[in-house]
Amino acid sequence: MEDVARHAGVALGTVSHVLNHPHKVAPATLERVRRSIDALGFVPDRRARALAAGTSNVIGFVVVDLSNSFFLDMARGAEQEAQRHGLNVLLANSDVQPEKELVYMHLFDEEHVAGILLAPLPTNADDVLRAGRWRRDVVVLNTVPGDPDSCAVTADNEIGGYLAARHLIDTGRRHLAFVGGPFTLSPVSDRHRGVERAVAESNGAVRLTTIKTSNVQAADGRKAGRQLAALPADGRPDGIVAAADLVAVGVVQAFLADGGPRVPDDVSVIGYDNNRAAWDSEIPLSTLAQPGEEMGREATRLLIEEIRHPAHHEHQRVHLEPTLIIRQSSTR
Amino acid sequence: MEDVARHAGVALGTVSHVLNHPHKVAPATLERVRRSIDALGFVPDRRARALAAGTSNVIGFVVVDLSNSFFLDMARGAEQEAQRHGLNVLLANSDVQPEKELVYMHLFDEEHVAGILLAPLPTNADDVLRAGRWRRDVVVLNTVPGDPDSCAVTADNEIGGYLAARHLIDTGRRHLAFVGGPFTLSPVSDRHRGVERAVAESNGAVRLTTIKTSNVQAADGRKAGRQLAALPADGRPDGIVAAADLVAVGVVQAFLADGGPRVPDDVSVIGYDNNRAAWDSEIPLSTLAQPGEEMGREATRLLIEEIRHPAHHEHQRVHLEPTLIIRQSSTR
DNA sequence: CTGAAAGCGCTAACAA
DNA sequence: TTGTTAGCGCTTTCAG
């Protein structure tokens, strides 16, 4: 920068002004300095700038599992919102490892980023938040921390379950089955609870069977699907709510195989997550799209608000609703 | 840090020494300073440190498409290798947008990271590399830039195609079909070339049919699969090499449906990429696993070597081979 | 082994 | 409007 100043025949501070407050510089000088900047190929050092000004324009996002498109959507949303405010988002993949969550939190903290978005391992959230006395503002995604000391943005899984069941009931299904597990995963149990609520609203007109699986993979769905297919046609559920798309795909695969019930004629199937799997299924799968991008945007909005107006900022808990996507598997 | 110095009754420089060269400090002082650090909850400022020392310990990784697990594997590999050297990896998702590639390159450049890993849009690679006179070392992944001015690490798709075809031929298949497209994508055409080479080696004992698809999605595979299934059994290929797992999944789905050939009894199918899709397919799919992690590790190794020993560093082009994974779809 | 002081590249008062 | 100067928080000579 000193070189630029010399080259343009101005003082150091003037160059800085050209960079940060161009309107406060005489047009002629401005032009001259800018030419020198180009001529010398000068590129400002963000670290020095951040150090001197005490501000940063990067937001750090610690993500538990980037291989899950739900989280990548959050990242996209965060970027969109950040960009609107002239901020950048840098991602750190903690890869489902609690220690890495901490490592990256520390990294961003010590790096003095403007703020931190944290999508943690739900079981690890409180530990991480307590572990450091973080000097940065942090907004938590996808889980509600015990401490009310930060904003949190989550997806409402109960409503998702409700919407799924509601959709099947509205299209005439009267015997639903919920397939998924383990119930220790709160998204699974929340979705199940939503299904129960929809069923309860029918005042006995709709039955619910619950098939617990050990996981939410395609194989679990196939196993459950075979069980269901083996049932006599009149005692068989006519609407399946799967806890995840992969499970739904498995169920459909099982039904397709050994002369099982036809989808969607005999039975409707709906998944959850709007994964690729839902798209790529032979029978395109109805599903609930998680509000990932929206969550990312909202979390970033809250974070920026907190950064900009620390004084009158109230921590919030925002629950965003998933969107019902109707495809062939539940259309008759 | 000044507080720490005061609290411990030492000079500023001594605290710095405790942090950076502990062995050069008297055990007693060391202990005392460390206690003060804990007591005051002092956390060093990385920006200041980087600015003063002129070094950073973060590597920036600009990734074209994090939703593709291939690239996420690279990120994992990069992290592993970086960690071995006490470095951290921060990710920037350019999301298939050329402009964002540039934005993030600039960000990392101005942030004075230790070095940059770039997995670009292949068609955009040269533009990006030329766009800035980047002051950081950069290693390119997944494409070979025209300029020989940086290291590059790629996956060898030709060998992958060869290995796939070779495997089918070795297990007795004599009429192969390559399914995929568009051929303007070099991974597709490279894989095809590999298949051709394996077929050529058979000196006429093996036939090859090529079915070009407009894309590499499941739907494309299903369409091709239906075409193949409609062929008379004796004129039908008995080994399918798909350009991607999704395509292979589609082919299998089509075969499964209308009394088509049985997989793997009548026909072997092999995919490419080792996606979830390969796993979750009803008939587990043989495939070629991309050397993603290895690429990430190797690229990072080269980058660190370049950073540490700029003098005697020679730019390299490394081609890594995919790994054949045999599952049910090609086992008889 | 410890302390003092210069400086990394920049910003932001404050003066001129 | 432009120049001067004092830091931002740390590292690193260089004396003591």
Side-chain angles (χ1 to χ4, degrees):
Chain A
M1 199 160 99
E2 209 182 313
D3 299 345
V4 175
R6 201 175 11 252
H7 184 276
V10 298
L12 205 99
T14 306
V15 180
S16 175
H17 269 161
V18 171
L19 259 31
N20 302 300
H21 315 285
H23 54 280
K24 300 202 149 193
V25 176
T29 333
L30 197 115
E31 176 61 16
R32 193 149 40 88
V33 172
R34 286 204 166 134
R35 239 199 290 279
S36 299
I37 289 180
D38 289 356
L40 301 186
F42 167 78
V43 176
D45 181 334
R46 278 176 191 262
R47 302 167 308 175
R49 181 188 288 226
L51 183 58
T55 65
S56 159
N57 51 18
V58 354
I59 288 177
F61 191 175
V62 179
V63 187
V64 62
D65 182 12
L66 274 177
S67 64
N68 183 333
S69 63
F70 182 30
F71 293 103
L72 194 60
D73 285 342
M74 293 182 208
R76 282 207 187 87
E79 261 178 291
Q80 288 168 18
E81 184 66 17
Q83 195 181 17
R84 290 191 32 215
H85 297 267
L87 298 173
N88 297 102
V89 175
L90 254 24
L91 269 25
N93 186 20
S94 66
D95 228 359
V96 203
Q97 295 165 243
E99 326 82 57
K100 291 183 78 177
E101 239 156 53
L102 260 180
V103 167
Y104 284 124
M105 282 297 285
H106 273 116
L107 178 62
F108 284 135
D109 188 40
E110 293 165 20
E111 203 72 75
H112 288 237
V113 295
I116 303 181
L117 297 171
L118 171 66
L121 215 49
T123 55
N124 196 41
D126 288 322
D127 284 349
V128 170
L129 288 175
R130 263 196 297 273
R133 293 202 310 295
W134 308 115
R135 276 143 271 262
R136 320 282 145 247
D137 295 324
V138 8
V139 171
V140 179
L141 289 99
N142 203 37
T143 188
V144 178
D147 249 318
D149 216 37
S150 49
C151 293
V153 178
T154 57
D156 196 324
N157 284 295
E158 199 271 350
I159 294 218
Y162 177 83
L163 291 174
R166 187 78 256 156
H167 166 59
L168 297 189
I169 295 171
D170 286 347
T171 52
R173 301 310 186 177
R174 288 297 172 262
H175 182 182
L176 303 191
F178 178 89
V179 181
F183 275 60
T184 49
L185 291 178
S186 67
V188 173
S189 52
D190 290 350
R191 290 166 198 181
H192 181 253
R193 207 148 30 75
V195 172
E196 284 181 326
R197 178 158 64 91
V199 169
E201 279 180 2
S202 77
N203 293 314
V206 177
R207 269 172 70 196
L208 173 63
T209 302
T210 296
I211 301 181
K212 298 195 181 187
T213 62
S214 51
N215 215 320
V216 284
Q217 303 300 316
D220 303 296
R222 280 196 287 269
K223 195 171 150 203
R226 280 191 294 270
Q227 278 177 41
L228 287 164
L231 258 34
D234 55 352
R236 193 155 58 195
D238 56 3
I240 316 286
V241 179
D245 285 337
L246 244 31
V247 173
V249 166
V251 169
V252 170
Q253 286 176 349
F255 285 0
L256 240 39
D258 24 13
R262 291 164 306 161
V263 179
D265 306 85
D266 303 328
V267 51
S268 292
V269 177
I270 183 165
Y272 208 110
D273 290 341
N274 196 26
N275 273 348
R276 276 209 82 96
W279 255 108
D280 295 328
S281 171
E282 179 148 22
I283 297 173
L285 216 57
S286 294
T287 191
L288 278 121
Q290 296 264 32
E293 286 201 14
E294 206 184 336
M295 286 171 67
R297 275 196 299 271
E298 184 62 15
T300 306
R301 200 184 61 68
L302 289 170
L303 181 61
I304 293 175
E305 182 188 301
E306 186 172 358
I307 295 168
R308 303 257 158 108
H309 313 290
H312 57 86
H313 170 84
E314 309 255 316
H315 288 312
Q316 288 176 45
R317 317 258 112 141
V318 180
H319 300 274
L320 265 19
E321 299 188 7
T323 310
L324 180 64
I325 296 185
I326 300 176
R327 298 206 186 92
Q328 191 184 333
S329 71
S330 70
T331 313
R332 31 174 203 171
Chain B
M1 200 160 97
E2 209 181 312
D3 299 343
V4 175
R6 200 175 10 250
H7 184 276
V10 297
L12 209 107
T14 306
V15 179
S16 176
H17 270 160
V18 170
L19 259 30
N20 303 299
H21 314 285
H23 54 279
K24 299 201 153 195
V25 176
T29 330
L30 198 115
E31 177 62 15
R32 194 148 41 86
V33 172
R34 285 203 167 134
R35 239 199 291 278
S36 300
I37 289 180
D38 289 356
L40 301 185
F42 167 78
V43 176
D45 181 334
R46 278 175 191 263
R47 302 167 306 175
R49 181 188 287 225
L51 183 57
T55 65
S56 159
N57 51 17
V58 354
I59 288 178
F61 190 175
V62 180
V63 186
V64 63
D65 183 13
L66 275 176
S67 64
N68 182 333
S69 63
F70 181 30
F71 293 103
L72 194 60
D73 285 342
M74 293 182 206
R76 283 207 187 86
E79 261 179 289
Q80 288 167 17
E81 184 67 16
Q83 195 180 17
R84 291 191 34 216
H85 298 267
L87 298 173
N88 296 103
V89 176
L90 254 24
L91 269 25
N93 186 21
S94 66
D95 227 359
V96 203
Q97 295 166 243
E99 325 83 56
K100 291 184 77 178
E101 238 155 54
L102 259 181
V103 167
Y104 285 125
M105 283 296 286
H106 273 116
L107 178 62
F108 285 135
D109 187 41
E110 293 165 20
E111 204 71 76
H112 288 237
V113 295
I116 303 180
L117 297 170
L118 171 66
L121 215 49
T123 52
N124 197 40
D126 287 323
D127 285 348
V128 170
L129 289 174
R130 264 195 297 271
R133 291 202 310 297
W134 309 114
R135 276 143 271 262
R136 321 281 145 246
D137 295 324
V138 7
V139 172
V140 179
L141 288 98
N142 204 37
T143 188
V144 177
D147 249 317
D149 215 35
S150 50
C151 292
V153 178
T154 56
D156 195 323
N157 284 296
E158 198 271 349
I159 294 219
Y162 177 83
L163 290 173
R166 186 78 254 154
H167 165 60
L168 297 189
I169 295 170
D170 287 347
T171 52
R173 303 308 187 177
R174 289 297 171 262
H175 181 183
L176 304 191
F178 178 89
V179 180
F183 275 60
T184 49
L185 291 179
S186 68
V188 172
S189 53
D190 290 350
R191 290 166 196 180
H192 181 254
R193 208 149 28 77
V195 172
E196 285 181 326
R197 179 159 62 92
V199 168
E201 279 180 2
S202 77
N203 292 314
V206 177
R207 269 173 69 196
L208 174 62
T209 302
T210 296
I211 301 182
K212 300 196 181 187
T213 62
S214 52
N215 214 320
V216 283
Q217 304 299 317
D220 303 296
R222 280 195 286 269
K223 195 171 152 203
R226 280 191 293 269
Q227 278 177 41
L228 286 163
L231 258 36
D234 55 351
R236 192 155 59 194
D238 56 3
I240 316 286
V241 179
D245 285 338
L246 244 31
V247 173
V249 165
V251 169
V252 170
Q253 286 176 349
F255 284 2
L256 240 39
D258 26 11
R262 290 164 306 161
V263 179
D265 306 84
D266 303 330
V267 51
S268 292
V269 177
I270 184 166
Y272 208 111
D273 289 341
N274 195 26
N275 272 347
R276 275 209 83 96
W279 256 108
D280 295 328
S281 170
E282 178 147 22
I283 297 173
L285 217 58
S286 294
T287 190
L288 278 122
Q290 296 263 33
E293 286 201 14
E294 205 184 337
M295 287 171 67
R297 275 197 298 272
E298 184 63 15
T300 306
R301 200 184 62 67
L302 289 169
L303 181 60
I304 293 176
E305 183 188 301
E306 185 171 358
I307 294 168
R308 303 257 158 109
H309 313 291
H312 57 84
H313 170 85
E314 309 255 314
H315 288 312
Q316 288 175 45
R317 315 259 113 140
V318 179
H319 300 273
L320 265 18
E321 298 188 6
T323 310
L324 181 64
I325 295 185
I326 301 176
R327 298 207 187 93
Q328 192 184 333
S329 70
S330 71
T331 313
R332 31 173 204 174

